[in-house]
Amino acid sequence: MSAKRSMVYVIDDDESVRRAFGRLFRSADVDVETFSSPDEFLSDERQIGNACIVVDIRMPGLNGFDLMKGMADKEMCIPVIVISASDDVQVREHARELGAVSFFLKPVDDQALLDAVWWAISGAREQAKTKDK
C-alpha cells in the first residue's frame, strides 16, 4: 500500500492566484485542489492527513476566518496557512488565535510558501503519529 500523496487546498477568490499556486504546487510534485470560496471547500469531505490549506483572508461572502471557524465546527484538523494583501497586526493575531500555522503577505515568495507547506504537513503528520501511540 502506498503512502498518501501530499495535498494542498488553495482557497482564494482570485482566479489568477489559484492558477499560480496550482502551478507552483504541481511543480513541487504536490497534489493541489483549488476553490474560489470557503463554502465550496467546506461543501464536501476532503483528505485530512498529509494535507494543508492555503487561504486568503479577505474574500466576498465567507472569508478565511469563517473557514477556520467552520473547520473547527466540523473538527477538521488540517494546518492552515493564511495569505493576505494587507499587513494588519489584528488580522495576523486573529489568524493565529484561530490556529493558522503561518501568515504571508501577498505577493508571496514561492520558496517560502513551499517551505511553510512542507513544514505544516510534516508537523501535522508528526502530531498524528504521536496521537496514535
Side-chain angles (χ1 to χ4, degrees):
M1 184 171 163
S2 63
K4 267 189 216 173
R5 289 180 46 89
S6 296
M7 172 64 77
V8 176
Y9 300 110
V10 175
I11 306 166
D12 197 304
D13 60 316
D14 186 330
E15 184 180 349
S16 65
V17 171
R18 292 192 308 269
R19 271 196 319 266
F21 284 163
R23 284 191 302 269
L24 172 66
F25 295 122
R26 282 189 292 277
S27 75
D29 200 29
V30 177
D31 289 340
V32 63
E33 283 187 52
T34 63
F35 303 89
S36 61
S37 72
D39 281 326
E40 188 181 354
F41 174 81
L42 291 169
S43 69
D44 206 354
E45 289 190 28
R46 306 284 170 215
Q47 174 179 319
I48 302 285
N50 216 31
C52 178
I53 296 170
V54 175
V55 64
D56 188 13
I57 282 297
R58 292 197 168 96
M59 293 179 273
L62 292 183
N63 61 37
F65 295 142
D66 297 325
L67 170 78
M68 290 187 276
K69 290 174 189 168
M71 289 174 53
D73 291 345
K74 289 185 171 197
E75 298 182 358
M76 291 177 76
C77 296
I78 304 174
V80 176
I81 296 171
V82 171
I83 57 174
S84 179
S86 64
D87 193 13
D88 183 328
V89 173
Q90 286 118 352
V91 170
R92 284 178 182 258
E93 288 175 5
H94 192 54
R96 285 194 183 100
E97 288 169 4
L98 291 173
V101 297
S102 293
F103 185 98
F104 287 94
L105 187 61
K106 289 180 179 179
V108 179
D109 177 85
D110 289 350
Q111 188 59 56
L113 182 58
L114 284 171
D115 290 345
V117 164
W118 288 124
W119 176 80
I121 290 172
S122 65
R125 195 178 308 131
E126 289 304 312
Q127 214 172 27
K129 285 180 188 176
T130 303
K131 285 182 183 178
D132 290 342
K133 289 183 179 181

Coordinates of all heavy atoms in Angstrom, one line a residue, residues 45-120:
E45 N -16.4 16.3 1.8 CA -15.3 15.8 2.6 C -14.0 15.9 1.8 O -13.9 15.8 0.6 CB -15.5 14.3 2.9 CG -16.6 14.1 3.9 CD -16.7 12.7 4.4 OE1 -15.7 12.0 4.4 OE2 -17.8 12.3 4.7
R46 N -12.9 16.1 2.6 CA -11.6 16.3 2.0 C -10.6 15.4 2.6 O -10.8 15.0 3.8 CB -11.1 17.8 2.2 CG -12.1 18.8 1.7 CD -12.1 18.9 0.2 NE -13.2 19.8 -0.2 CZ -13.9 19.6 -1.3 NH1 -13.5 18.6 -2.2 NH2 -14.9 20.4 -1.7
Q47 N -9.4 15.2 2.0 CA -8.3 14.5 2.6 C -7.8 15.3 3.7 O -7.5 16.5 3.6 CB -7.2 14.3 1.5 CG -5.9 13.7 2.1 CD -4.9 13.6 1.0 OE1 -5.2 13.2 -0.1 NE2 -3.6 13.8 1.4
I48 N -7.7 14.7 4.9 CA -7.3 15.4 6.1 C -5.8 15.1 6.3 O -5.1 16.1 6.5 CB -8.1 14.9 7.3 CG1 -9.6 15.1 7.2 CG2 -7.6 15.5 8.6 CD1 -10.1 16.4 7.3
G49 N -5.4 13.9 6.3 CA -4.0 13.6 6.6 C -3.1 14.0 5.4 O -3.5 14.0 4.3
N50 N -1.9 14.4 5.7 CA -0.9 14.7 4.7 C -1.4 15.9 3.8 O -1.1 15.9 2.6 CB -0.6 13.5 3.9 CG 0.9 13.5 3.5 OD1 1.7 14.0 4.2 ND2 1.2 12.9 2.3
A51 N -2.1 16.8 4.5 CA -2.7 17.9 3.7 C -2.5 19.3 4.4 O -2.1 19.3 5.6 CB -4.2 17.7 3.5
C52 N -2.7 20.3 3.7 CA -2.5 21.7 4.2 C -3.5 22.6 3.4 O -3.8 22.3 2.2 CB -1.1 22.1 4.0 SG -0.7 23.8 4.5
I53 N -3.9 23.7 4.0 CA -4.7 24.7 3.3 C -4.0 26.0 3.2 O -3.4 26.4 4.2 CB -6.0 24.9 4.1 CG1 -6.9 23.6 4.2 CG2 -6.8 26.1 3.5 CD1 -8.0 23.7 5.1
V54 N -4.1 26.6 2.1 CA -3.6 28.0 1.9 C -4.8 28.8 1.5 O -5.5 28.5 0.5 CB -2.6 28.0 0.7 CG1 -2.2 29.5 0.4 CG2 -1.3 27.2 1.0
V55 N -5.1 29.8 2.4 CA -6.4 30.5 2.3 C -6.1 32.0 2.3 O -5.3 32.5 3.2 CB -7.4 30.1 3.3 CG1 -7.0 30.4 4.7 CG2 -8.8 30.7 3.0
D56 N -6.8 32.7 1.5 CA -6.8 34.2 1.5 C -7.8 34.6 2.7 O -8.8 33.9 2.9 CB -7.3 34.8 0.2 CG -7.2 36.3 0.1 OD1 -6.5 36.9 0.9 OD2 -7.8 36.8 -0.9
I57 N -7.5 35.7 3.4 CA -8.4 36.1 4.4 C -9.6 36.9 3.9 O -10.7 36.6 4.3 CB -7.6 37.0 5.4 CG1 -6.7 36.1 6.3 CG2 -8.5 37.8 6.3 CD1 -7.5 35.1 7.2
R58 N -9.3 37.8 3.0 CA -10.4 38.7 2.6 C -11.0 38.2 1.3 O -10.3 38.3 0.2 CB -9.9 40.1 2.4 CG -9.6 40.7 3.8 CD -9.4 42.2 3.8 NE -9.4 42.7 5.1 CZ -8.3 43.0 5.8 NH1 -7.1 42.8 5.2 NH2 -8.3 43.5 7.0
M59 N -12.2 37.7 1.3 CA -13.0 37.3 0.2 C -14.4 37.7 0.4 O -14.9 37.8 1.5 CB -12.9 35.8 0.0 CG -11.5 35.2 -0.3 SD -11.5 33.4 -0.4 CE -11.2 33.0 1.3
P60 N -15.2 37.8 -0.7 CA -16.6 38.1 -0.6 C -17.3 36.9 0.0 O -16.9 35.8 -0.2 CB -17.1 38.4 -2.0 CG -16.0 38.0 -2.9 CD -14.7 37.8 -2.1
G61 N -18.4 37.2 0.8 CA -19.1 36.1 1.4 C -18.2 35.6 2.6 O -17.7 36.4 3.4
L62 N -18.1 34.3 2.8 CA -17.3 33.7 3.8 C -15.8 34.1 3.6 O -15.4 34.1 2.4 CB -17.4 32.2 3.9 CG -18.7 31.6 4.4 CD1 -18.6 30.1 4.5 CD2 -19.2 32.2 5.7
N63 N -15.1 34.4 4.6 CA -13.7 34.7 4.5 C -12.8 33.6 5.1 O -13.3 32.6 5.6 CB -13.4 36.1 5.1 CG -13.7 36.2 6.6 OD1 -13.5 35.2 7.3 ND2 -14.2 37.3 7.0
G64 N -11.5 33.9 5.2 CA -10.6 32.9 5.7 C -10.8 32.6 7.2 O -10.7 31.4 7.6
F65 N -11.3 33.6 7.9 CA -11.6 33.4 9.3 C -12.8 32.5 9.5 O -12.9 31.6 10.3 CB -11.9 34.7 10.1 CG -10.7 35.6 10.2 CD1 -10.8 37.0 10.1 CD2 -9.4 35.1 10.4 CE1 -9.7 37.8 10.2 CE2 -8.3 35.9 10.6 CZ -8.5 37.3 10.4
D66 N -13.8 32.7 8.6 CA -15.0 31.9 8.6 C -14.6 30.4 8.3 O -15.2 29.5 8.9 CB -16.0 32.4 7.6 CG -16.5 33.8 7.9 OD1 -16.7 34.1 9.1 OD2 -16.8 34.6 7.0
L67 N -13.7 30.3 7.4 CA -13.3 28.9 7.0 C -12.7 28.2 8.2 O -13.1 27.1 8.5 CB -12.2 28.9 5.9 CG -11.5 27.6 5.7 CD1 -12.4 26.7 4.9 CD2 -10.2 27.8 5.0
M68 N -11.8 28.9 9.0 CA -11.2 28.2 10.1 C -12.2 27.9 11.2 O -12.1 26.9 11.8 CB -10.0 29.1 10.6 CG -8.8 29.1 9.7 SD -7.4 30.0 10.3 CE -7.8 31.7 9.9
K69 N -13.2 28.8 11.4 CA -14.2 28.5 12.4 C -15.1 27.3 11.9 O -15.5 26.5 12.7 CB -15.1 29.8 12.5 CG -14.4 30.9 13.3 CD -15.3 32.2 13.3 CE -14.5 33.3 13.8 NZ -15.2 34.6 13.6
G70 N -15.4 27.3 10.6 CA -16.2 26.2 10.1 C -15.5 24.9 10.2 O -16.0 23.8 10.5
M71 N -14.1 24.9 10.0 CA -13.3 23.7 10.2 C -13.4 23.2 11.6 O -13.5 22.0 11.9 CB -11.9 23.9 9.7 CG -11.7 24.1 8.2 SD -10.1 24.5 7.7 CE -9.1 23.3 8.5
A72 N -13.2 24.2 12.5 CA -13.3 23.8 14.0 C -14.6 23.2 14.3 O -14.7 22.2 15.0 CB -13.0 25.0 14.8
D73 N -15.7 23.7 13.7 CA -17.1 23.2 14.0 C -17.2 21.8 13.5 O -17.9 20.9 14.1 CB -18.1 24.0 13.3 CG -18.3 25.4 14.0 OD1 -17.8 25.6 15.1 OD2 -18.9 26.3 13.4
K74 N -16.5 21.5 12.4 CA -16.6 20.1 11.8 C -15.4 19.2 12.3 O -15.3 18.1 11.8 CB -16.4 20.2 10.2 CG -17.7 20.8 9.6 CD -17.5 20.8 8.0 CE -18.8 21.1 7.4 NZ -18.8 20.7 6.0
E75 N -14.6 19.8 13.2 CA -13.5 19.0 13.7 C -12.5 18.6 12.7 O -12.0 17.5 12.7 CB -13.9 17.9 14.6 CG -14.7 18.4 15.8 CD -15.2 17.2 16.8 OE1 -14.9 16.1 16.5 OE2 -15.8 17.6 17.8
M76 N -12.3 19.4 11.7 CA -11.3 19.2 10.6 C -10.0 19.7 11.0 O -9.8 20.9 11.2 CB -11.7 19.9 9.3 CG -13.0 19.3 8.6 SD -13.4 20.3 7.2 CE -12.1 19.8 6.0
C77 N -9.0 18.8 11.2 CA -7.7 19.2 11.7 C -6.7 19.2 10.5 O -6.0 18.2 10.3 CB -7.2 18.3 12.8 SG -8.2 18.4 14.3
I78 N -6.7 20.3 9.8 CA -5.8 20.5 8.6 C -5.1 21.8 8.9 O -5.7 22.8 9.2 CB -6.5 20.6 7.3 CG1 -7.4 19.3 7.0 CG2 -5.5 20.7 6.1 CD1 -8.3 19.5 5.8
P79 N -3.7 21.8 8.8 CA -3.0 23.0 9.0 C -3.4 24.1 8.0 O -3.6 23.8 6.8 CB -1.5 22.6 8.9 CG -1.5 21.1 8.9 CD -2.8 20.6 8.5
V80 N -3.5 25.3 8.5 CA -3.9 26.4 7.6 C -2.8 27.5 7.6 O -2.3 27.9 8.6 CB -5.2 27.1 8.2 CG1 -5.6 28.3 7.3 CG2 -6.3 26.1 8.2
I81 N -2.5 27.8 6.3 CA -1.6 28.9 6.1 C -2.4 30.1 5.5 O -3.1 29.9 4.5 CB -0.5 28.5 5.1 CG1 0.4 27.4 5.7 CG2 0.4 29.7 4.6 CD1 1.4 26.8 4.8
V82 N -2.3 31.2 6.1 CA -3.1 32.4 5.7 C -2.3 33.3 4.8 O -1.1 33.5 5.1 CB -3.6 33.1 7.0 CG1 -4.2 34.5 6.6 CG2 -4.5 32.3 7.8
I83 N -2.9 33.8 3.8 CA -2.3 34.8 2.9 C -3.2 36.0 2.9 O -4.4 35.9 3.0 CB -2.0 34.3 1.5 CG1 -3.3 33.8 0.8 CG2 -0.9 33.3 1.5 CD1 -3.1 33.5 -0.6
S84 N -2.6 37.2 2.8 CA -3.4 38.4 2.8 C -2.7 39.5 2.0 O -1.5 39.6 2.0 CB -3.7 38.9 4.2 OG -4.4 40.1 4.3
A85 N -3.5 40.4 1.4 CA -3.0 41.5 0.7 C -2.6 42.7 1.7 O -1.9 43.6 1.3 CB -3.9 42.0 -0.4
S86 N -3.2 42.7 2.9 CA -2.9 43.7 3.8 C -2.2 43.2 5.1 O -2.5 42.2 5.6 CB -4.2 44.4 4.2 OG -5.0 43.5 4.9
D87 N -1.2 44.0 5.5 CA -0.4 43.6 6.6 C -1.0 44.3 7.9 O -0.5 45.4 8.3 CB 1.1 44.0 6.4 CG 2.0 43.4 7.4 OD1 1.6 42.4 8.1 OD2 3.2 43.8 7.5
D88 N -1.9 43.7 8.4 CA -2.7 44.2 9.6 C -2.4 43.4 10.8 O -2.6 42.1 10.8 CB -4.2 44.2 9.2 CG -5.0 44.8 10.3 OD1 -4.7 44.7 11.5 OD2 -6.1 45.4 9.9
V89 N -1.9 44.0 11.9 CA -1.5 43.2 13.1 C -2.7 42.5 13.7 O -2.6 41.3 14.1 CB -0.9 44.2 14.1 CG1 -0.6 43.5 15.5 CG2 0.4 44.8 13.6
Q90 N -3.9 43.1 13.7 CA -5.0 42.4 14.2 C -5.4 41.2 13.4 O -5.8 40.2 13.9 CB -6.2 43.4 14.3 CG -6.1 44.4 15.5 CD -6.0 45.8 15.0 OE1 -6.0 46.1 13.8 NE2 -6.0 46.7 15.9
V91 N -5.3 41.3 12.1 CA -5.6 40.2 11.2 C -4.6 39.0 11.5 O -5.0 37.9 11.7 CB -5.5 40.6 9.7 CG1 -5.6 39.4 8.8 CG2 -6.6 41.5 9.4
R92 N -3.3 39.3 11.6 CA -2.4 38.3 12.0 C -2.7 37.6 13.3 O -2.6 36.4 13.4 CB -0.9 38.9 12.0 CG -0.3 39.2 10.7 CD 1.1 39.9 10.9 NE 1.7 40.2 9.7 CZ 2.6 39.5 9.1 NH1 3.1 38.4 9.7 NH2 3.2 39.9 8.0
E93 N -2.9 38.4 14.3 CA -3.2 37.9 15.6 C -4.5 37.0 15.6 O -4.5 36.0 16.2 CB -3.4 39.0 16.6 CG -2.0 39.7 17.0 CD -2.2 40.9 17.9 OE1 -3.3 41.2 18.4 OE2 -1.1 41.5 18.1
H94 N -5.5 37.5 14.9 CA -6.8 36.7 14.9 C -6.5 35.4 14.2 O -7.1 34.4 14.6 CB -7.9 37.6 14.2 CG -9.2 37.0 14.4 ND1 -9.8 36.6 15.6 CD2 -10.2 36.6 13.5 CE1 -11.0 36.1 15.5 NE2 -11.3 36.1 14.2
A95 N -5.8 35.4 13.1 CA -5.5 34.2 12.3 C -4.7 33.2 13.3 O -5.1 32.0 13.3 CB -4.6 34.5 11.1
R96 N -3.8 33.7 14.0 CA -3.1 32.8 14.9 C -4.0 32.3 16.0 O -3.9 31.1 16.4 CB -1.9 33.5 15.6 CG -0.7 33.7 14.6 CD 0.6 34.1 15.3 NE 1.6 34.2 14.2 CZ 2.0 35.4 13.7 NH1 1.4 36.5 14.2 NH2 2.9 35.5 12.8
E97 N -4.9 33.1 16.6 CA -5.8 32.7 17.6 C -6.7 31.6 17.0 O -7.1 30.7 17.8 CB -6.7 33.8 18.0 CG -6.0 34.9 18.9 CD -6.8 36.1 19.1 OE1 -8.0 36.2 18.6 OE2 -6.3 37.1 19.7
L98 N -7.0 31.6 15.8 CA -7.9 30.6 15.1 C -7.1 29.4 14.7 O -7.7 28.4 14.2 CB -8.7 31.2 14.0 CG -9.7 32.2 14.3 CD1 -10.3 32.8 13.1 CD2 -10.8 31.6 15.2
G99 N -5.8 29.4 14.9 CA -5.0 28.2 14.6 C -4.1 28.2 13.4 O -3.5 27.2 13.0
A100 N -4.0 29.4 12.7 CA -3.2 29.4 11.5 C -1.7 29.1 11.9 O -1.2 29.6 12.9 CB -3.2 30.8 10.8
V101 N -1.0 28.3 11.1 CA 0.4 28.0 11.4 C 1.3 28.9 10.7 O 2.5 29.0 11.2 CB 0.7 26.5 10.9 CG1 -0.2 25.5 11.7 CG2 0.5 26.3 9.4
S102 N 0.9 29.7 9.7 CA 1.8 30.7 9.1 C 0.9 31.8 8.5 O -0.3 31.6 8.2 CB 2.6 30.1 8.0 OG 3.6 29.2 8.4
F103 N 1.5 32.9 8.3 CA 0.9 34.1 7.7 C 1.8 34.7 6.7 O 3.0 35.0 7.0 CB 0.5 35.1 8.8 CG -0.3 36.3 8.3 CD1 -1.7 36.3 8.4 CD2 0.3 37.3 7.6 CE1 -2.4 37.4 8.0 CE2 -0.4 38.4 7.2 CZ -1.8 38.5 7.4
F104 N 1.3 34.9 5.4 CA 2.1 35.5 4.4 C 1.4 36.7 3.8 O 0.2 36.7 3.6 CB 2.4 34.5 3.3 CG 3.4 33.5 3.6 CD1 2.9 32.3 4.1 CD2 4.7 33.7 3.4 CE1 3.9 31.3 4.4 CE2 5.6 32.7 3.8 CZ 5.2 31.5 4.3
L105 N 2.2 37.7 3.5 CA 1.7 38.9 2.8 C 1.8 38.7 1.3 O 2.9 38.2 0.8 CB 2.5 40.1 3.3 CG 2.0 41.5 2.8 CD1 0.6 41.8 3.4 CD2 3.0 42.6 3.4
K106 N 0.8 39.0 0.6 CA 0.8 39.0 -0.9 C 1.7 40.1 -1.4 O 1.6 41.2 -0.9 CB -0.6 39.1 -1.5 CG -1.4 37.8 -1.3 CD -2.8 38.1 -2.0 CE -3.7 36.9 -1.9 NZ -5.0 37.2 -2.5
P107 N 2.5 40.0 -2.4 CA 2.7 38.7 -3.1 C 3.6 37.8 -2.3 O 4.5 38.3 -1.6 CB 3.5 39.2 -4.4 CG 4.1 40.5 -4.0 CD 3.2 41.1 -3.0
V108 N 3.4 36.5 -2.4 CA 4.1 35.5 -1.6 C 5.3 35.0 -2.3 O 5.3 34.8 -3.5 CB 3.1 34.4 -1.3 CG1 3.8 33.3 -0.5 CG2 1.9 34.8 -0.6
D109 N 6.4 34.9 -1.6 CA 7.6 34.3 -2.1 C 7.4 32.8 -2.3 O 7.0 32.1 -1.3 CB 8.8 34.5 -1.1 CG 10.0 33.9 -1.6 OD1 10.8 34.5 -2.4 OD2 10.3 32.7 -1.1
D110 N 7.5 32.3 -3.5 CA 7.2 30.9 -3.8 C 7.9 29.9 -2.9 O 7.3 29.0 -2.3 CB 7.6 30.6 -5.3 CG 6.6 31.2 -6.2 OD1 5.6 31.8 -5.8 OD2 6.9 31.2 -7.4
Q111 N 9.3 30.1 -2.7 CA 10.0 29.1 -1.9 C 9.6 29.2 -0.5 O 9.5 28.1 0.2 CB 11.5 29.4 -2.1 CG 12.4 28.3 -1.4 CD 12.1 26.9 -2.0 OE1 12.2 26.7 -3.2 NE2 11.7 25.9 -1.2
A112 N 9.4 30.4 0.1 CA 8.9 30.5 1.5 C 7.6 29.8 1.7 O 7.4 29.1 2.7 CB 8.9 32.0 1.9
L113 N 6.7 29.9 0.7 CA 5.4 29.3 0.8 C 5.5 27.7 0.7 O 4.9 27.0 1.5 CB 4.4 29.8 -0.3 CG 3.0 29.2 -0.2 CD1 2.3 29.5 1.1 CD2 2.2 29.7 -1.4
L114 N 6.4 27.3 -0.2 CA 6.6 25.8 -0.3 C 7.2 25.3 1.0 O 6.8 24.2 1.5 CB 7.5 25.5 -1.5 CG 6.9 25.5 -2.9 CD1 8.0 25.4 -3.9 CD2 5.9 24.4 -3.0
D115 N 8.2 26.0 1.6 CA 8.8 25.6 2.8 C 7.7 25.5 3.9 O 7.7 24.6 4.7 CB 9.9 26.5 3.2 CG 11.1 26.4 2.3 OD1 11.2 25.5 1.6 OD2 12.0 27.4 2.4
A116 N 6.8 26.5 4.0 CA 5.8 26.6 5.0 C 4.8 25.4 4.8 O 4.4 24.8 5.8 CB 5.1 27.9 5.0
V117 N 4.5 25.1 3.6 CA 3.6 24.0 3.3 C 4.2 22.7 3.8 O 3.6 21.8 4.5 CB 3.2 23.9 1.8 CG1 2.6 22.6 1.5 CG2 2.2 25.1 1.5
W118 N 5.5 22.4 3.4 CA 6.2 21.2 3.8 C 6.3 21.1 5.3 O 6.1 20.0 5.9 CB 7.5 21.1 3.2 CG 7.5 20.8 1.7 CD1 8.1 21.5 0.7 CD2 6.9 19.7 1.0 NE1 7.8 21.0 -0.5 CE2 7.1 19.8 -0.3 CE3 6.1 18.6 1.5 CZ2 6.6 18.9 -1.3 CZ3 5.6 17.7 0.5 CH2 5.8 17.9 -0.8
W119 N 6.6 22.2 6.0 CA 6.7 22.3 7.4 C 5.3 22.0 8.1 O 5.2 21.2 9.0 CB 7.2 23.7 7.9 CG 7.2 23.8 9.3 CD1 8.2 23.4 10.2 CD2 6.3 24.5 10.1 NE1 7.9 23.8 11.5 CE2 6.7 24.4 11.5 CE3 5.1 25.2 9.9 CZ2 6.0 25.0 12.5 CZ3 4.3 25.7 10.9 CH2 4.8 25.6 12.2
A120 N 4.2 22.6 7.6 CA 2.9 22.3 8.1 C 2.5 20.9 7.9 O 2.0 20.3 8.9 CB 1.9 23.3 7.4

